Amino acid sequence: MKEETWKTSITKVEPNKLLLRGYRLDELMGAVTFSQGIFLAIRGNLPTEKEGKILDAILVSSIDHGVTPPSCLAARTIASTGAPLNAAVAGAILAISKHHGGAIEDTMDLFQKAVSLKKTLNATHEEAALAVIQEYSNAGKRLPGYGHRLHTKDPRSERLFQMAYELDIAYDYVKVAGAIEVGIEKTLGKRLPLNVDGAIAAVLCEMGFPSELGNAFFIMSRVAGVIAHVFEEQTTMRPMRHINPTEHVYDGVPERTLS
Amino acid sequence: MKEETWKTSITKVEPNKLLLRGYRLDELMGAVTFSQGIFLAIRGNLPTEKEGKILDAILVSSIDHGVTPPSCLAARTIASTGAPLNAAVAGAILAISKHHGGAIEDTMDLFQKAVSLKKTLNATHEEAALAVIQEYSNAGKRLPGYGHRLHTKDPRSERLFQMAYELDIAYDYVKVAGAIEVGIEKTLGKRLPLNVDGAIAAVLCEMGFPSELGNAFFIMSRVAGVIAHVFEEQTTMRPMRHINPTEHVYDGVPERTLS
Amino acid sequence: MKEETWKTSITKVEPNKLLLRGYRLDELMGAVTFSQGIFLAIRGNLPTEKEGKILDAILVSSIDHGVTPPSCLAARTIASTGAPLNAAVAGAILAISKHHGGAIEDTMDLFQKAVSLKKTLNATHEEAALAVIQEYSNAGKRLPGYGHRLHTKDPRSERLFQMAYELDIAYDYVKVAGAIEVGIEKTLGKRLPLNVDGAIAAVLCEMGFPSELGNAFFIMSRVAGVIAHVFEEQTTMRPMRHINPTEHVYDGVPERTLS
Amino acid sequence: MKEETWKTSITKVEPNKLLLRGYRLDELMGAVTFSQGIFLAIRGNLPTEKEGKILDAILVSSIDHGVTPPSCLAARTIASTGAPLNAAVAGAILAISKHHGGAIEDTMDLFQKAVSLKKTLNATHEEAALAVIQEYSNAGKRLPGYGHRLHTKDPRSERLFQMAYELDIAYDYVKVAGAIEVGIEKTLGKRLPLNVDGAIAAVLCEMGFPSELGNAFFIMSRVAGVIAHVFEEQTTMRPMRHINPTEHVYDGVPERTLS
């Protein structure tokens, strides 16, 4: 083994045999879902059934949010120049940053700080929540994960937390997330409901993901929606059009239910 | 409605209500898998159970192929400079091009040409296969989707076609793909087995996807593996190291089976 | 020398000594302009004085074209999410594609075909021009490099050709470019004046650049303007604003002259 | 003027007339160099003759540093997949981050802090240098802009400072940069000479650029070298090769001088 040899523990590649975290890829195919495969690749082990279900919900929740998010607009702008799909998708991912998707990582840091305080101080969720609100306020920092410019009651956050409770994986992080929402109203006198970034952050914390991977799930999820937008742009719009983010109408299928 | 108003049929966004292709996102969460959500976003309708299963297999098949693919190396190279996750992932996607992942689109074109010829000429799969082999040979074009520099019998292609037959969705495209493999050996005298790009191409054709979307599925799948590599690079390697693609060893868990 | 050793002829790196195409970088600093350095890096030799001058004009001509080009909009959209400068610039470059900047490469191919025809057929510039117009028309292909959606008489093309004549570097390519403009009016009955992409293409051909490098000069030039836009976006606009490409006003310094 | 109208002061675009910071682009062509045009676009006014000269030197200094920098390797890796030039260049720019090029911005912050301290404390350059060294040391932060893994005496830094003194634009920032180098040796007992990032940082500070634009100049400069590498990769290497960063040899022209 020469000096510059380096180590990887993700995939073992041999002729006619591929092991992802120890499992043969062809054995995984047909046996696990894409979400389970994603969990396996990133964490090194397969998720429990509950973890698989909630991860599916996280990844479904953020597939798309219409044409106005910067990731969608960057992708459509690039696609309108005749660029290939991968360039448009790469441009979208570059727009998933601090103010767009980036709140997941910041909110995971917030919740980890709160839960850590709770343990250190042997405090309740409510006390820990008030302590971090105070800490951010003293530091002049905005609390990430709360409030949305459009949704006053985000249906995605509500559904995700409902699932977390039903699946019995709502422990400290989900609870402290709720306590912070209550604490904000008490302290600052305004309702800033947990947004979808915040709800995803709490559930990722419950599953033991480090905050550095928070945005990864938003990226994977949104890439699917971006691909739909790029394809729509390429097949229905003229190249080099001026894309006004606000002057658009939805002309798809009307509301329907899963039955 | 002003002149510049434009139309989109993917997502309807209203305060506290998000409709993806007509379905409420919060209703989809917990009810469909990520793969089903991807299919819905891109195609406009939910997949059948069989389509959902085979799409999961496609998306699992390409999650990772170790450290040597250019997408992985571009991502690790960018990550080693201290760049954020999204920049490294965007770099990886830019490397998913003509010679890496790009064969899916080209192979879909090949199979669509073959099946079209079969119908026009009222020919067998074997005759159509020989006709397209001849056509590509005359034009001096390499047949995409066959042969692999490492795998002589790609376990992923075999498993995908096995599933396609079991799920009863192997029609003209899967059959003509097999016929072309046989035809290549007959005509050119060499064994060039269908690779995973080729197998994915045939199944995507069976599901009615246009070839322009071929690479989209490879991109979505590989992003998961790339994220695992970027995280490994960020957490276990020193910044700015020289990344030699060949001098590495696998030090992960040994081979294991699903149960 | 081991098997995988590969060769490069651009820069020789030694401790305390850097040779760009043979010249010490510290000797080049202060002795050559950036344009001359660019020419040296790409071509392998320093430009003549005339080549240096016209290259400066090319690189100055495309620095910026306001806020509506997709490269600018992609960069501003990405910057508005709080992304770092390099991510916004990378996004801009991804938008420099087929319909935006990409015409330089295509027009170089057109002019090379025309000049090649002229030599093969021992024809005049006018005859060669008519022949390629006919050829593109027969193939149903649009002639690149002519016409602009805003400028009916592009001041940048005019100035570049004026300089090419003054510097005495206007030979076959510049002349055939003019002949094609005349030929288009004769044949198709409409005035489609040479645009800046077309003028740059002709001059790059005169300097012996291969068409594969055509877009490189547009990329290098426009990166400067994009950086100005990203900085303006970051310092004067609120994050995540909706960027309407058409609803903007210029509020900079009024027209002035170099004096 | 509607509510969403926004303002830009970079370029005024009218039919047949383009004003960059007030000057007609066609008047600038032939009258200013590319470096002067870059300065104009970013700063809003033309540089003095001295500023133009030193900016040329900065932009020439960083054009290339051989095949091992991550920007070059990312670009070559992407190019080797058959990706277009713009994708490879975008990938390179994504690798210009914290540990590669990013030191310019950090070093500008360091020098601005030192010069600010000097003024506040009415101190000498030497005292201010020792104060910031102490401050960074107390905070456990590494001093950016000093030391290089290959060059013990970077010829580019030396030349840039020599020019700054000759052109008489070496004031507080250049001097404090030198004082910090001396201070590091005194305090830490090791020689960490100013590297090229540090030298560029000092000169950009002298010209009044904000630190947020520090990396912009490295990006613009290195794009030229990256384009040379991408073209070399595309024209002389086989696709999908394994690019070993260390196993390469220079086979270009031998050392030569400018006259």
Side-chain angles (χ1 to χ4, degrees), chain D residues 86-106:
Chain D
N86 72 331
V89 173
I93 289 176
L94 293 175
I96 295 178
S97 189
K98 196 173 160 198
H99 302 299
H100 175 38
I104 297 175
E105 186 176 327
D106 294 340

Side-chain angles (χ1 to χ4, degrees), chain D residues 189-201:
Chain D
K190 52 182 169 181
R191 276 206 77 241
L192 284 179
L194 188 72
N195 58 35
V196 69
D197 291 341
I200 290 173

Side-chain angles (χ1 to χ4, degrees), chain A residues 4-33:
Chain A
E4 74 258 52
T5 300
W6 51 287
K7 291 168 182 168
T8 180
S9 61
I10 301 166
T11 299
K12 188 171 188 190
V13 180
E14 293 175 5
N16 305 329
K17 188 164 160 182
L18 290 163
L19 301 178
L20 177 64
R21 302 290 190 178
Y23 298 107
R24 286 195 358 249
L25 263 180
D26 51 318
E27 191 187 0
L28 291 168
M29 292 166 67
V32 305
T33 64

Side-chain angles (χ1 to χ4, degrees), chain D residues 90-154:
Chain D
I93 289 176
L94 293 175
I96 295 178
S97 189
K98 196 173 160 198
H99 302 299
H100 175 38
I104 297 175
E105 186 176 327
D106 294 340
T107 315
M108 288 176 80
D109 287 335
L110 169 69
F111 294 159
Q112 280 161 1
K113 183 163 290 177
V115 170
S116 167
L117 269 177
K118 177 179 176 296
K119 286 172 186 163
T120 313
L121 306 176
N122 201 16
T124 63
H125 292 106
E126 289 68 30
E127 291 162 348
L130 291 173
V132 290
I133 293 171
Q134 192 61 50
E135 188 178 323
Y136 273 61
S137 173
N138 291 347
K141 289 198 329 195
R142 214 181 140 278
L143 284 168
Y146 293 87
H148 193 280
R149 56 177 171 175
L150 186 63
H151 308 302
T152 52
K153 196 173 142 82
D154 195 312

